[in-house]
Amino acid sequence: MESRHPATLAAQALGWIDPSTKALIPPVHPSTTFIRDPDNQYRSGFSYGRPMNPTFVQPEALLMKLEGGAACLTFASGMAAATAVFLALRPGDHVVAPQVMYWGLRNWLKNFAAEWGLIVDFVDASAADALKTAVEPGRTKLIWIESPANPTWAITDIAAAAEIAHRAGARLAIDSTVATPMLTRPIELGADIVMHSATKYLNGHSDVVAGALVAARHDEFWERIAAIRTSNGAILGSFEAWLLLRGMRTLHLRLERCCGTAQAIAEHFVGHRRIAAVLYPGLPDCPGHAVAARQMHGGFGGMLSIRVAGGESAAIATAARVTVWKRATSLGGVESLIEHRASIEGPGSPAPPDLLRLSVGIEDAADLIGDLEQALAGVG
Ligand SMILES: Cc1ncc(COP(=O)(O)O)c(C=O)c1O
């Protein structure tokens, strides 16, 4: 499977076949403990359910391969995966993070990480100059970016950020949840660690909370992250790991559909009299379009936002009137979701009050566009 297309790797989950039964689909391993050999060794590689479970092996191997990495670990959630990276740093280490990023992680960095001793500066990561100014060679240990970034879909130039990080002696980690390895392979662009909320596109069916990290190298920092997973115990359940692998088998098909429909919706609503702005990196006028076109392949993602003319009340009223779109948080599932982002993020959110975030699923594009049209028309 060395040189196969990502679609083939995903659909066949690397072509794994159970050696004893010849089953094409791996089993769920609920066992929390494993037999020790008579000579006191654990040759199977498995001893207890918290360090490792056989059901993690295939989803981790597949994601590692799709990302072109050297190692992968799944976690109990995207937040568990992301925070493991920061916990692997030392108190006093300097971190540069984006102003526009997943709000839950931004809050964790502002509150917990700062109290624990990390020094975190938030900058406009879509401007390479801002990143360059913020890093302090020798003191900065990590640049964290997210591209496209929640909820404006701002784009960060991954290769430029990697160069800035490495020149300063720091690592580059990226939340690539929205792009997925089907659209962007950050390790090829110089990233050291790729993070996913696997709750989103990787699983894709809104029925698993999961996270993952992929490393460019199996080094001492990665060992620390692995030790944090084992000792903090933020591991996936075995059934969730099994579902995650099943979801990943159709990642390429879902992404292709989501990207095509998101592009169609974005183009349809540009210049619409009830829409103040459409935020989508696939639109030539979006500020990050040129960089996105360079580092995203096969589409610009299934996430976009619209700013509703008439402000916050018009945006909330529009979301109230949809029937095909579902009013719910999260993203990356097969069903399309709509959300008034400032309401969930609360004070300090960079989300404009008139912004509705759209997670485009795999439904019929005309149904989705028609539903938004009738909701906007009804608001008046
Ligand atoms: C881009 C992004 N990163 C990280 C997370 C956190 O992931 P989880 O909810 O799986 O912990 C989310 C969740 O919404 C997200 O959208």
Side-chain angles (χ1 to χ4, degrees):
M1 282 264 165
E2 218 25 59
S3 60
R4 297 277 195 265
H5 190 279
T8 309
L9 298 173
Q12 299 190 357
L14 300 181
W16 181 90
I17 293 169
D18 185 288
S20 56
T21 64
K22 307 297 176 200
L24 282 170
I25 303 301
V28 182
H29 287 274
S31 187
T32 56
T33 191
F34 302 82
I35 288 288
R36 202 186 262 277
D37 296 331
D39 62 357
N40 222 28
Q41 304 297 305
Y42 271 121
R43 283 194 191 75
S44 70
F46 302 104
S47 57
Y48 179 56
R50 179 155 43 75
M52 194 56 187
N53 176 311
T55 325
F56 302 166
V57 172
Q58 270 96 29
E60 290 179 353
L62 176 56
L63 184 58
M64 184 184 89
K65 184 78 182 169
L66 292 175
E67 289 287 5
C72 176
L73 288 170
T74 51
F75 287 81
S77 66
M79 281 297 287
T83 55
V85 177
F86 293 101
L87 293 172
L89 297 169
R90 314 268 176 184
D93 283 352
H94 180 237
V95 173
V96 177
Q99 283 159 351
V100 176
M101 66 184 291
Y102 171 61
W103 72 291
L105 185 57
R106 184 178 63 241
N107 285 349
W108 186 88
L109 287 172
K110 280 196 169 150
N111 302 316
F112 184 87
E115 268 176 35
W116 183 67
L118 292 183
I119 297 137
V120 187
D121 277 329
F122 294 90
V123 303
D124 175 5
S126 64
D129 282 351
L131 282 179
K132 223 178 272 175
T133 309
V135 293
E136 298 174 34
R139 186 163 162 261
T140 306
K141 295 295 188 286
L142 184 76
I143 296 181
W144 181 274
I145 57 172
E146 178 179 326
S147 188
N150 257 293
T152 62
W153 320 114
I155 299 292
T156 296
D157 185 330
I158 301 167
E163 202 187 316
I164 293 165
H166 296 159
R167 222 183 289 139
R171 289 180 171 80
L172 178 73
I174 176 168
D175 181 340
S176 198
T177 297
V178 170
T180 85
M182 292 302 169
L183 305 181
T184 304
R185 291 178 24 119
I187 288 172
E188 284 174 1
L189 298 168
D192 301 287
I193 293 183
V194 180
M195 174 256 156
H196 289 280
S197 168
T199 314
K200 318 299 187 206
Y201 291 102
L202 295 183
N203 178 62
H205 293 76
S206 307
D207 52 12
V208 168
V209 174
L213 296 174
V214 181
R217 289 169 310 282
H218 198 133
D219 57 10
E220 176 265 339
F221 190 67
W222 183 251
E223 289 295 333
R224 238 172 111 69
I225 289 172
I228 286 166
R229 186 183 78 162
T230 296
S231 51
N232 287 12
I235 53 156
L236 261 186
S238 45
F239 184 54
E240 284 73 11
W242 185 88
L243 278 174
L244 174 59
L245 183 70
R246 187 172 74 162
M248 284 167 67
R249 287 174 183 263
T250 55
L251 178 62
H252 51 298
L253 290 180
R254 289 184 283 105
L255 250 288
E256 199 181 310
R257 176 67 169 234
C258 295
C259 289
T261 306
Q263 185 77 37
I265 294 172
E267 288 171 8
H268 177 89
F269 285 104
V270 166
H272 192 286
R273 67 187 185 87
R274 293 176 202 271
I275 300 281
V278 179
L279 311 180
Y280 185 62
L283 294 173
D285 287 346
C286 268
H289 178 71
V291 175
R294 228 175 27 239
Q295 67 190 22
M296 299 181 82
H297 306 284
F300 294 91
M303 296 301 301
L304 71 151
S305 294
I306 51 174
R307 298 186 63 178
V308 180
E312 177 168 18
S313 58
I316 292 173
T318 302
R321 296 184 70 89
V322 293
T323 56
V324 179
W325 296 81
K326 302 301 169 215
R327 263 184 318 283
T329 196
S330 201
L331 59 96
V334 291
E335 63 290 302
S336 294
L337 305 180
I338 188 166
E339 185 177 42
H340 181 250
R341 203 56 201 162
S343 294
I344 194 156
E345 295 198 8
S349 163
D354 57 3
L355 181 145
L356 292 177
R357 187 179 85 170
L358 306 178
S359 171
V360 177
I362 62 169
E363 305 94 330
D364 179 67
D367 280 351
L368 293 170
I369 291 172
D371 191 35
L372 269 180
E373 280 285 9
Q374 68 74 25
L376 287 162
V379 170

